Amino acid sequence: MTQVVTLHKIEFLVGSLNEDLQELAAMVMKNYDKGYLMSREETDIRYEDVRIDFNPQVQRIISSLCEEWKTAFGQEIESCYTGRLDQDHNESVWAVVHNPGDITQLHTHETAEDYRSGAHVSAAFWVQVPEDSGDFVFQYKRNPYLNEQTRIKSEPGKFLMFDSTLKHFVTKNRSKGQRIVISMNFRLKEE
């Protein structure tokens, strides 16, 4: 008897949310214009990350994405932000503003030293996407010799959720406008 057995599969979730994108863009750009960045060091990947307000709209997006993941995969997730006073909510939810010519380099969202309680699921929610302003690309190895890539077209109001260990990058913003995305990290809920 011949049998197909799957050792490992990688799945991600793509959908859309009906949110006030203009309101989100205005909040992100207000913080961007004030220079509210996650890092002041230009060589740090967090230099491109913009601090955002943890307002009701952002909280609603987080809640909606938790529900989307549970519906799709049967797993409960929660924001990595617990609301503790000593915790920075922007470690779990932040924005990226890509000006013309900007990219995001290849990276992942998990940390080896904190994988157990850190990010397991990451998400992107596109707020403002001028035509040709860059797409999201997964890069992975099917085996030790072959690099594969899967491109996800960026579109306003669209979200993408994926395993935090997946390597990904964003292609160059070739438009004349600014591209805005909100990024989030979630962890699996402990039972």
Side-chain angles (χ1 to χ4, degrees):
M1 177 168 93
T2 303
Q3 185 178 11
V4 173
V5 178
T6 302
L7 291 176
H8 179 72
K9 65 181 178 178
I10 300 173
E11 299 175 308
F12 56 88
L13 186 60
V14 179
S16 60
L17 298 176
N18 187 17
E19 288 292 332
D20 184 341
L21 301 179
Q22 289 182 330
E23 181 181 323
L24 276 172
M27 179 266 292
V28 170
M29 291 310 296
K30 176 191 72 157
N31 290 357
Y32 176 79
D33 291 340
K34 289 181 178 179
Y36 293 168
L37 305 176
M38 290 297 292
S39 174
R40 295 279 174 211
E41 176 55 50
E42 289 184 30
T43 60
D44 185 349
I45 194 162
R46 298 302 314 257
Y47 178 75
E48 73 176 12
D49 297 344
V50 179
R51 293 179 172 281
I52 62 171
D53 304 337
F54 198 65
N55 64 26
Q57 187 179 24
V58 169
Q59 292 175 39
R60 186 173 58 248
I61 291 168
I62 289 169
S63 178
S64 295
L65 292 180
C66 288
E67 284 302 313
E68 292 281 352
W69 188 266
K70 183 179 178 184
T71 299
F73 299 114
Q75 293 177 308
E76 289 199 43
I77 60 173
E78 61 189 353
S79 171
C80 288
Y81 177 59
T82 63
R84 291 190 338 243
L85 292 176
D86 65 335
Q87 189 182 24
D88 181 353
H89 73 266
N90 286 133
E91 292 296 328
S92 297
V93 58
W94 64 95
V96 177
V97 176
H98 277 164
N99 290 304
D102 286 354
I103 63 164
T104 295
Q105 296 178 4
L106 186 66
H107 68 286
T108 62
H109 286 222
E110 94 292 352
T111 59
E113 62 273 1
D114 193 27
Y115 182 73
R116 184 177 182 93
S117 63
H120 300 120
V121 176
S122 296
F125 179 68
W126 290 282
V127 177
Q128 181 174 294
V129 186
E131 188 64 36
D132 204 21
S133 62
D135 288 330
F136 188 102
V137 181
F138 288 118
Q139 183 173 301
Y140 53 95
K141 288 186 170 289
R142 186 167 16 137
N143 65 45
Y145 310 103
L146 296 175
N147 274 321
E148 302 280 336
Q149 291 187 347
T150 297
R151 182 183 286 242
I152 310 298
K153 181 154 181 54
S154 303
E155 299 173 18
K158 185 174 174 180
F159 70 82
L160 170 66
M161 300 180 78
F162 55 95
D163 186 299
S164 298
T165 64
L166 277 172
K167 292 180 180 178
H168 57 281
F169 64 93
V170 178
T171 60
K172 183 184 270 190
N173 179 355
R174 297 183 187 282
S175 77
K176 294 182 177 160
Q178 291 173 311
R179 176 184 184 275
I180 301 173
V181 63
I182 293 178
S183 298
M184 291 157 270
N185 283 333
F186 301 89
R187 64 172 163 250
L188 298 173
K189 270 191 176 178
E190 293 185 19
E191 298 179 15

